[in-house]
């Protein structure tokens, strides 16, 4: 475990300009789409981590953090935790 703290690992290669541009455009379009859905439905359909997720999905799609299990599972857990306080008022113990 102490080896990890020392560092010394090889840095990943610098991303190409195309990957950066694809991440920016994909993230902007993803957030814009969620904002349009919010206006259309009249309910909030966006949360803070969506921007970071969009950039990960479009800029580095082969990253372990951009895999479906990580994305869907992470958003499901964070959504559940965000909704959980609302259940406190509904359920009487």
């Amino acid at each position: 475990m102490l080896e990890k703290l020392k560092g010394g690992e090889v840095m990943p290669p610098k991303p190409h300009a195309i990957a950066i541009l694809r991440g920016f455009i994909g993230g902007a379009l993803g957030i814009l789409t969620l904002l349009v859905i919010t206006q259309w439905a009249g309910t909030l359909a966006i949360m803070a981590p969506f921007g970071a997720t969009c950039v990960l999905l479009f800029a580095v799609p082969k990253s372990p953090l951009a895999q479906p299990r990580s994305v869907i599972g992470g958003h499901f857990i964070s959504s559940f935790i965000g909704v959980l306080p609302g259940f406190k008022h509904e359920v009487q113990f």
Side-chain angles (χ1 to χ4, degrees), residues 46-70:
I46 191 167
M47 61 183 196
F50 280 159
T53 301
C54 287
V55 171
L56 276 174
L57 290 175
F58 291 107
V60 283
K62 294 185 181 182
S63 166
L65 296 174
Q67 300 309 305
R69 178 183 63 197
S70 300

PDB file of all heavy atoms in Angstrom, residues 46-70:
ATOM      1  N   ILE A  46     -31.908  17.808 -14.343  1.00  0.00           N
ATOM      2  CA  ILE A  46     -30.456  17.912 -14.425  1.00  0.00           C
ATOM      3  C   ILE A  46     -29.882  17.932 -13.017  1.00  0.00           C
ATOM      4  O   ILE A  46     -30.511  18.411 -12.087  1.00  0.00           O
ATOM      5  CB  ILE A  46     -30.036  19.173 -15.214  1.00  0.00           C
ATOM      6  CG1 ILE A  46     -28.558  19.144 -15.530  1.00  0.00           C
ATOM      7  CG2 ILE A  46     -30.424  20.432 -14.492  1.00  0.00           C
ATOM      8  CD1 ILE A  46     -28.144  20.168 -16.550  1.00  0.00           C
ATOM      9  N   MET A  47     -28.700  17.351 -12.864  1.00  0.00           N
ATOM     10  CA  MET A  47     -27.995  17.407 -11.598  1.00  0.00           C
ATOM     11  C   MET A  47     -26.518  17.634 -11.896  1.00  0.00           C
ATOM     12  O   MET A  47     -26.056  17.395 -13.012  1.00  0.00           O
ATOM     13  CB  MET A  47     -28.234  16.154 -10.760  1.00  0.00           C
ATOM     14  CG  MET A  47     -27.779  14.884 -11.357  1.00  0.00           C
ATOM     15  SD  MET A  47     -28.222  13.528 -10.271  1.00  0.00           S
ATOM     16  CE  MET A  47     -27.167  12.262 -10.934  1.00  0.00           C
ATOM     17  N   ALA A  48     -25.798  18.082 -10.921  1.00  0.00           N
ATOM     18  CA  ALA A  48     -24.412  18.520 -11.112  1.00  0.00           C
ATOM     19  C   ALA A  48     -23.492  17.484 -11.765  1.00  0.00           C
ATOM     20  O   ALA A  48     -22.729  17.833 -12.662  1.00  0.00           O
ATOM     21  CB  ALA A  48     -23.841  18.983  -9.783  1.00  0.00           C
ATOM     22  N   PRO A  49     -23.501  16.219 -11.379  1.00  0.00           N
ATOM     23  CA  PRO A  49     -22.534  15.276 -11.953  1.00  0.00           C
ATOM     24  C   PRO A  49     -22.740  14.960 -13.435  1.00  0.00           C
ATOM     25  O   PRO A  49     -21.887  14.334 -14.042  1.00  0.00           O
ATOM     26  CB  PRO A  49     -22.720  14.002 -11.130  1.00  0.00           C
ATOM     27  CG  PRO A  49     -23.446  14.397  -9.920  1.00  0.00           C
ATOM     28  CD  PRO A  49     -24.221  15.612 -10.258  1.00  0.00           C
ATOM     29  N   PHE A  50     -23.864  15.367 -14.032  1.00  0.00           N
ATOM     30  CA  PHE A  50     -24.084  15.066 -15.447  1.00  0.00           C
ATOM     31  C   PHE A  50     -23.030  15.704 -16.340  1.00  0.00           C
ATOM     32  O   PHE A  50     -22.634  15.126 -17.342  1.00  0.00           O
ATOM     33  CB  PHE A  50     -25.475  15.491 -15.895  1.00  0.00           C
ATOM     34  CG  PHE A  50     -26.553  14.527 -15.514  1.00  0.00           C
ATOM     35  CD1 PHE A  50     -27.855  14.937 -15.440  1.00  0.00           C
ATOM     36  CD2 PHE A  50     -26.270  13.203 -15.235  1.00  0.00           C
ATOM     37  CE1 PHE A  50     -28.858  14.055 -15.087  1.00  0.00           C
ATOM     38  CE2 PHE A  50     -27.265  12.312 -14.876  1.00  0.00           C
ATOM     39  CZ  PHE A  50     -28.555  12.741 -14.807  1.00  0.00           C
ATOM     40  N   GLY A  51     -22.564  16.889 -16.003  1.00  0.00           N
ATOM     41  CA  GLY A  51     -21.539  17.544 -16.815  1.00  0.00           C
ATOM     42  C   GLY A  51     -20.249  16.746 -16.839  1.00  0.00           C
ATOM     43  O   GLY A  51     -19.673  16.498 -17.900  1.00  0.00           O
ATOM     44  N   ALA A  52     -19.805  16.315 -15.673  1.00  0.00           N
ATOM     45  CA  ALA A  52     -18.579  15.512 -15.600  1.00  0.00           C
ATOM     46  C   ALA A  52     -18.758  14.171 -16.294  1.00  0.00           C
ATOM     47  O   ALA A  52     -17.851  13.686 -16.979  1.00  0.00           O
ATOM     48  CB  ALA A  52     -18.191  15.300 -14.144  1.00  0.00           C
ATOM     49  N   THR A  53     -19.930  13.582 -16.148  1.00  0.00           N
ATOM     50  CA  THR A  53     -20.198  12.304 -16.802  1.00  0.00           C
ATOM     51  C   THR A  53     -20.176  12.454 -18.311  1.00  0.00           C
ATOM     52  O   THR A  53     -19.615  11.610 -19.018  1.00  0.00           O
ATOM     53  CB  THR A  53     -21.556  11.748 -16.345  1.00  0.00           C
ATOM     54  OG1 THR A  53     -21.523  11.585 -14.931  1.00  0.00           O
ATOM     55  CG2 THR A  53     -21.850  10.411 -17.003  1.00  0.00           C
ATOM     56  N   CYS A  54     -20.778  13.513 -18.830  1.00  0.00           N
ATOM     57  CA  CYS A  54     -20.778  13.741 -20.281  1.00  0.00           C
ATOM     58  C   CYS A  54     -19.360  13.882 -20.806  1.00  0.00           C
ATOM     59  O   CYS A  54     -19.020  13.308 -21.844  1.00  0.00           O
ATOM     60  CB  CYS A  54     -21.594  14.982 -20.623  1.00  0.00           C
ATOM     61  SG  CYS A  54     -23.357  14.760 -20.449  1.00  0.00           S
ATOM     62  N   VAL A  55     -18.531  14.630 -20.109  1.00  0.00           N
ATOM     63  CA  VAL A  55     -17.149  14.809 -20.557  1.00  0.00           C
ATOM     64  C   VAL A  55     -16.415  13.471 -20.531  1.00  0.00           C
ATOM     65  O   VAL A  55     -15.694  13.136 -21.471  1.00  0.00           O
ATOM     66  CB  VAL A  55     -16.429  15.860 -19.702  1.00  0.00           C
ATOM     67  CG1 VAL A  55     -14.944  15.893 -20.001  1.00  0.00           C
ATOM     68  CG2 VAL A  55     -17.042  17.234 -19.932  1.00  0.00           C
ATOM     69  N   LEU A  56     -16.601  12.675 -19.471  1.00  0.00           N
ATOM     70  CA  LEU A  56     -15.960  11.355 -19.423  1.00  0.00           C
ATOM     71  C   LEU A  56     -16.425  10.464 -20.565  1.00  0.00           C
ATOM     72  O   LEU A  56     -15.626   9.792 -21.208  1.00  0.00           O
ATOM     73  CB  LEU A  56     -16.279  10.658 -18.098  1.00  0.00           C
ATOM     74  CG  LEU A  56     -15.414  11.010 -16.913  1.00  0.00           C
ATOM     75  CD1 LEU A  56     -15.969  10.352 -15.663  1.00  0.00           C
ATOM     76  CD2 LEU A  56     -13.983  10.608 -17.135  1.00  0.00           C
ATOM     77  N   LEU A  57     -17.725  10.437 -20.809  1.00  0.00           N
ATOM     78  CA  LEU A  57     -18.265   9.555 -21.844  1.00  0.00           C
ATOM     79  C   LEU A  57     -17.784   9.926 -23.239  1.00  0.00           C
ATOM     80  O   LEU A  57     -17.511   9.061 -24.058  1.00  0.00           O
ATOM     81  CB  LEU A  57     -19.792   9.579 -21.809  1.00  0.00           C
ATOM     82  CG  LEU A  57     -20.438   8.904 -20.604  1.00  0.00           C
ATOM     83  CD1 LEU A  57     -21.941   9.119 -20.639  1.00  0.00           C
ATOM     84  CD2 LEU A  57     -20.115   7.436 -20.578  1.00  0.00           C
ATOM     85  N   PHE A  58     -17.690  11.214 -23.514  1.00  0.00           N
ATOM     86  CA  PHE A  58     -17.311  11.637 -24.859  1.00  0.00           C
ATOM     87  C   PHE A  58     -15.808  11.790 -25.050  1.00  0.00           C
ATOM     88  O   PHE A  58     -15.307  11.563 -26.137  1.00  0.00           O
ATOM     89  CB  PHE A  58     -18.024  12.943 -25.216  1.00  0.00           C
ATOM     90  CG  PHE A  58     -19.499  12.772 -25.392  1.00  0.00           C
ATOM     91  CD1 PHE A  58     -20.388  13.245 -24.451  1.00  0.00           C
ATOM     92  CD2 PHE A  58     -20.000  12.114 -26.502  1.00  0.00           C
ATOM     93  CE1 PHE A  58     -21.745  13.078 -24.604  1.00  0.00           C
ATOM     94  CE2 PHE A  58     -21.359  11.935 -26.668  1.00  0.00           C
ATOM     95  CZ  PHE A  58     -22.234  12.418 -25.719  1.00  0.00           C
ATOM     96  N   ALA A  59     -15.070  12.185 -24.020  1.00  0.00           N
ATOM     97  CA  ALA A  59     -13.632  12.419 -24.183  1.00  0.00           C
ATOM     98  C   ALA A  59     -12.814  11.144 -24.027  1.00  0.00           C
ATOM     99  O   ALA A  59     -11.878  10.914 -24.790  1.00  0.00           O
ATOM    100  CB  ALA A  59     -13.155  13.468 -23.180  1.00  0.00           C
ATOM    101  N   VAL A  60     -13.136  10.331 -23.043  1.00  0.00           N
ATOM    102  CA  VAL A  60     -12.381   9.097 -22.795  1.00  0.00           C
ATOM    103  C   VAL A  60     -13.348   7.930 -22.612  1.00  0.00           C
ATOM    104  O   VAL A  60     -13.498   7.400 -21.519  1.00  0.00           O
ATOM    105  CB  VAL A  60     -11.446   9.239 -21.570  1.00  0.00           C
ATOM    106  CG1 VAL A  60     -10.216  10.026 -21.897  1.00  0.00           C
ATOM    107  CG2 VAL A  60     -12.166   9.841 -20.388  1.00  0.00           C
ATOM    108  N   PRO A  61     -13.997   7.497 -23.684  1.00  0.00           N
ATOM    109  CA  PRO A  61     -15.025   6.455 -23.555  1.00  0.00           C
ATOM    110  C   PRO A  61     -14.497   5.087 -23.115  1.00  0.00           C
ATOM    111  O   PRO A  61     -15.254   4.271 -22.626  1.00  0.00           O
ATOM    112  CB  PRO A  61     -15.625   6.380 -24.953  1.00  0.00           C
ATOM    113  CG  PRO A  61     -14.600   6.936 -25.861  1.00  0.00           C
ATOM    114  CD  PRO A  61     -13.843   7.950 -25.056  1.00  0.00           C
ATOM    115  N   LYS A  62     -13.203   4.841 -23.242  1.00  0.00           N
ATOM    116  CA  LYS A  62     -12.648   3.539 -22.847  1.00  0.00           C
ATOM    117  C   LYS A  62     -12.142   3.532 -21.409  1.00  0.00           C
ATOM    118  O   LYS A  62     -11.659   2.519 -20.928  1.00  0.00           O
ATOM    119  CB  LYS A  62     -11.533   3.140 -23.804  1.00  0.00           C
ATOM    120  CG  LYS A  62     -12.066   2.881 -25.196  1.00  0.00           C
ATOM    121  CD  LYS A  62     -11.015   2.377 -26.116  1.00  0.00           C
ATOM    122  CE  LYS A  62     -11.670   2.186 -27.481  1.00  0.00           C
ATOM    123  NZ  LYS A  62     -10.801   1.668 -28.467  1.00  0.00           N
ATOM    124  N   SER A  63     -12.286   4.653 -20.727  1.00  0.00           N
ATOM    125  CA  SER A  63     -11.868   4.747 -19.332  1.00  0.00           C
ATOM    126  C   SER A  63     -12.765   3.867 -18.457  1.00  0.00           C
ATOM    127  O   SER A  63     -13.954   3.715 -18.726  1.00  0.00           O
ATOM    128  CB  SER A  63     -11.967   6.201 -18.874  1.00  0.00           C
ATOM    129  OG  SER A  63     -11.888   6.292 -17.477  1.00  0.00           O
ATOM    130  N   PRO A  64     -12.226   3.292 -17.385  1.00  0.00           N
ATOM    131  CA  PRO A  64     -13.075   2.500 -16.485  1.00  0.00           C
ATOM    132  C   PRO A  64     -14.215   3.323 -15.876  1.00  0.00           C
ATOM    133  O   PRO A  64     -15.275   2.799 -15.585  1.00  0.00           O
ATOM    134  CB  PRO A  64     -12.107   2.037 -15.390  1.00  0.00           C
ATOM    135  CG  PRO A  64     -10.760   2.103 -16.008  1.00  0.00           C
ATOM    136  CD  PRO A  64     -10.808   3.218 -17.008  1.00  0.00           C
ATOM    137  N   LEU A  65     -14.001   4.612 -15.700  1.00  0.00           N
ATOM    138  CA  LEU A  65     -15.048   5.468 -15.136  1.00  0.00           C
ATOM    139  C   LEU A  65     -16.167   5.751 -16.130  1.00  0.00           C
ATOM    140  O   LEU A  65     -17.245   6.189 -15.741  1.00  0.00           O
ATOM    141  CB  LEU A  65     -14.454   6.786 -14.653  1.00  0.00           C
ATOM    142  CG  LEU A  65     -13.452   6.678 -13.517  1.00  0.00           C
ATOM    143  CD1 LEU A  65     -12.837   8.032 -13.231  1.00  0.00           C
ATOM    144  CD2 LEU A  65     -14.100   6.108 -12.281  1.00  0.00           C
ATOM    145  N   ALA A  66     -15.932   5.523 -17.419  1.00  0.00           N
ATOM    146  CA  ALA A  66     -16.937   5.806 -18.442  1.00  0.00           C
ATOM    147  C   ALA A  66     -17.693   4.557 -18.876  1.00  0.00           C
ATOM    148  O   ALA A  66     -18.451   4.601 -19.834  1.00  0.00           O
ATOM    149  CB  ALA A  66     -16.265   6.450 -19.657  1.00  0.00           C
ATOM    150  N   GLN A  67     -17.515   3.458 -18.176  1.00  0.00           N
ATOM    151  CA  GLN A  67     -18.214   2.226 -18.527  1.00  0.00           C
ATOM    152  C   GLN A  67     -19.636   2.252 -17.979  1.00  0.00           C
ATOM    153  O   GLN A  67     -19.907   2.917 -16.979  1.00  0.00           O
ATOM    154  CB  GLN A  67     -17.452   1.018 -18.011  1.00  0.00           C
ATOM    155  CG  GLN A  67     -16.052   0.902 -18.573  1.00  0.00           C
ATOM    156  CD  GLN A  67     -16.033   0.993 -20.091  1.00  0.00           C
ATOM    157  OE1 GLN A  67     -16.718   0.238 -20.771  1.00  0.00           O
ATOM    158  NE2 GLN A  67     -15.270   1.921 -20.630  1.00  0.00           N
ATOM    159  N   PRO A  68     -20.552   1.562 -18.630  1.00  0.00           N
ATOM    160  CA  PRO A  68     -21.964   1.611 -18.219  1.00  0.00           C
ATOM    161  C   PRO A  68     -22.192   1.280 -16.743  1.00  0.00           C
ATOM    162  O   PRO A  68     -22.999   1.920 -16.076  1.00  0.00           O
ATOM    163  CB  PRO A  68     -22.637   0.575 -19.118  1.00  0.00           C
ATOM    164  CG  PRO A  68     -21.766   0.482 -20.316  1.00  0.00           C
ATOM    165  CD  PRO A  68     -20.376   0.737 -19.823  1.00  0.00           C
ATOM    166  N   ARG A  69     -21.476   0.298 -16.222  1.00  0.00           N
ATOM    167  CA  ARG A  69     -21.660  -0.081 -14.815  1.00  0.00           C
ATOM    168  C   ARG A  69     -21.341   1.089 -13.894  1.00  0.00           C
ATOM    169  O   ARG A  69     -22.087   1.383 -12.957  1.00  0.00           O
ATOM    170  CB  ARG A  69     -20.766  -1.272 -14.495  1.00  0.00           C
ATOM    171  CG  ARG A  69     -20.843  -1.700 -13.046  1.00  0.00           C
ATOM    172  CD  ARG A  69     -19.899  -2.819 -12.741  1.00  0.00           C
ATOM    173  NE  ARG A  69     -18.531  -2.349 -12.963  1.00  0.00           N
ATOM    174  CZ  ARG A  69     -17.490  -3.128 -13.094  1.00  0.00           C
ATOM    175  NH1 ARG A  69     -17.642  -4.428 -13.048  1.00  0.00           N
ATOM    176  NH2 ARG A  69     -16.297  -2.640 -13.280  1.00  0.00           N
ATOM    177  N   SER A  70     -20.258   1.797 -14.175  1.00  0.00           N
ATOM    178  CA  SER A  70     -19.867   2.927 -13.336  1.00  0.00           C
ATOM    179  C   SER A  70     -20.832   4.092 -13.479  1.00  0.00           C
ATOM    180  O   SER A  70     -21.229   4.708 -12.489  1.00  0.00           O
ATOM    181  CB  SER A  70     -18.453   3.384 -13.702  1.00  0.00           C
ATOM    182  OG  SER A  70     -17.532   2.357 -13.512  1.00  0.00           O
TER     183      SER A  70
END
